[in-house]
Amino acid sequence: MSKPKVLSTRPLFPAARAILDQHFDVEYWTPPERIPRAELLKRVADKDALVCLLTEKVDEELLATAPKLRLAATVSVGYDNIDVPACTRHKVVATHTPGVLDETTADFAWTLLMAIARRLVEGDAWMRTGTWPGWDLDQLVGGDVWGKTLGIVGFGRIGRGVARRAQGFHMRVLYNDQARVSADVERELRAEFVDIDRLFRESDFVSLHVPLLPSTRHLISTEAFEKMKRTAYLINTSRGPVVDEAALAVALEQKKIAGAALDVYEQEPKVYPALVARKDVILAPHIASATVETRTKMAVMAATNAAALFEGRRPPNALNADALGL
Ligand code: DGY
């Protein structure tokens, strides 16, 4: 019997390929550049499943192009690239990769937090110019991390991982989310639930861990910067549009906050031009989950979800399983 056909928009990692190759007749997109939209639409047209990245939109247009499609698996936990209701209408199971990247992403939020507070990137750039004159008292003085207040916006798995790490730095942790976590979790993480205005007013570091939703788009805008401490730093490893980049550039220029460290951008791969030249900003290329271990787990998870559906099982990380009656 012929195997179902899958398009994978990346060659993935060997462990994930092994799963796909066993279950599917797989077409991998292998060129180093990402798959152009027209190519994606052409190649997905006769496929039963799609394994894609967060840079590929699974929308009404794509779904209408691929009448046989039964599954779209994004190799990411964020799924703002997938129109889930449209998938449900087309009877396509949408899956993502929750859980496997939480700790790695929390590590990276901390990497950014430490690097912006201690001006590491500026220091590295200076050393490479060969002009460093040697130690001096007021060189690249940054802000302390230990003992400060960390405000976490979005207290899901990643936000909580960031909070857990803060204990080692004897920080006070404030958090805001739609709902409070249990008293046990608050106690364990020594985290205090506060309203978002108080979080902005009292935090020395504001770290973002919310998904991109209509309610979180531009959550951090002029109004938020007005409330934040002039010595505060903003860390964003969530989704770019959560921060109004134009407002961020103005806030930095007017010294409303001390700095920002970003891993994600409003219009990736573009960076808001006014941010590029600023020394009080660190710009990372969306790499918070980028370790060999974690990216491998993400790819394996996507492949496992695809295999499950075609073996007649409910894919473990389906976003619309209930809606499709699986
Ligand atoms: C995700 O998975 O949503 C991240 O942005 C990339 O790891």
Side-chain angles (χ1 to χ4, degrees):
M1 208 176 75
S2 65
K3 291 178 178 174
K5 290 181 177 176
V6 61
L7 171 66
S8 174
T9 62
R10 271 285 170 251
L12 305 174
F13 295 97
R17 275 206 301 272
I19 298 168
L20 286 185
D21 293 342
Q22 187 193 335
H23 291 85
F24 298 95
D25 172 4
V26 195
E27 180 178 339
Y28 293 100
W29 174 260
T30 53
E33 68 275 8
R34 67 186 68 264
I35 189 165
R37 177 75 178 172
E39 260 327 299
L40 173 61
L41 295 181
K42 192 171 97 194
R43 288 170 191 253
V44 80
D46 65 339
K47 299 296 184 293
D48 301 288
L50 171 69
V51 175
C52 63
L53 305 187
L54 56 83
T55 43
E56 281 116 27
K57 284 212 177 316
V58 177
D59 54 10
E60 190 58 56
E61 182 190 33
L62 183 142
L63 294 163
T65 311
K68 289 169 60 193
L69 201 69
R70 291 185 54 209
L71 174 124
T74 184
V75 188
S76 60
V77 64
Y79 53 90
D80 38 294
N81 56 320
I82 299 198
D83 183 340
V84 179
C87 284
T88 305
R89 281 197 300 279
H90 285 264
K91 303 208 175 345
V92 171
V93 181
T95 70
H96 68 144
T97 64
V100 289
L101 48 78
D102 305 338
E103 299 299 337
T104 301
T105 303
D107 279 353
F108 195 72
W110 268 90
T111 305
L112 290 178
L113 187 157
M114 300 285 286
I116 189 69
R118 300 305 303 273
R119 305 178 66 176
L120 178 64
V121 176
E122 279 181 83
D124 178 84
W126 191 12
M127 294 305 289
R128 288 170 201 273
T129 65
T131 61
W132 179 56
W135 194 90
D136 209 343
L137 192 61
D138 59 356
Q139 272 172 8
L140 291 183
V141 288
D144 265 333
V145 173
W146 70 274
K148 292 286 184 73
T149 298
L150 171 61
I152 299 177
V153 183
F155 213 52
R157 292 180 306 265
I158 299 172
R160 294 198 294 259
V162 171
R164 194 169 300 111
R165 286 157 177 75
Q167 294 188 14
F169 289 83
H170 300 280
M171 294 177 97
R172 174 178 169 239
V173 176
L174 306 177
Y175 79 93
N176 178 267
D177 206 324
Q178 282 170 333
R180 280 180 80 151
V181 296
S182 70
D184 282 353
V185 173
E186 286 187 355
R187 224 179 352 263
E188 183 210 330
L189 300 178
R190 291 186 223 139
E192 184 187 349
F193 178 80
V194 292
D195 66 52
I196 193 125
D197 286 352
R198 185 165 155 217
L199 185 145
F200 290 145
R201 278 198 308 273
E202 296 185 15
S203 298
D204 299 296
F205 299 90
V206 174
S207 191
L208 307 177
H209 302 285
V210 287
L212 178 60
L213 300 168
S215 57
T216 59
R217 186 174 290 274
H218 284 191
L219 180 69
I220 308 297
S221 194
T222 309
E223 220 185 304
F225 293 123
E226 291 294 337
K227 289 171 191 146
M228 285 166 67
K229 293 184 179 182
R230 288 188 172 259
T231 50
Y233 297 94
L234 175 71
I235 320 297
N236 190 11
T237 53
S238 63
R239 280 291 182 265
V242 174
V243 175
D244 177 345
E245 287 174 354
L248 171 62
V250 172
L252 290 165
E253 184 61 28
Q254 296 179 348
K255 306 224 173 301
K256 301 268 185 209
I257 63 168
L262 311 175
D263 186 45
V264 287
Y265 304 90
E266 273 197 83
Q267 290 178 9
E268 293 182 13
K270 293 190 193 131
V271 180
Y272 189 73
L275 295 175
V276 176
R278 300 201 65 91
K279 291 191 170 158
D280 48 8
V281 176
I282 291 177
L283 304 170
H286 204 148
I287 51 171
S289 66
T291 65
V292 173
E293 296 91 330
T294 291
R295 290 283 168 89
T296 302
K297 284 184 200 155
M298 291 164 69
V300 165
M301 200 171 204
T304 305
N305 276 299
L309 183 72
F310 288 86
E311 279 179 341
R313 289 181 288 116
R314 178 184 169 125
N317 311 104
L319 293 158
N320 53 353
D322 291 340
L324 288 171
L326 291 179

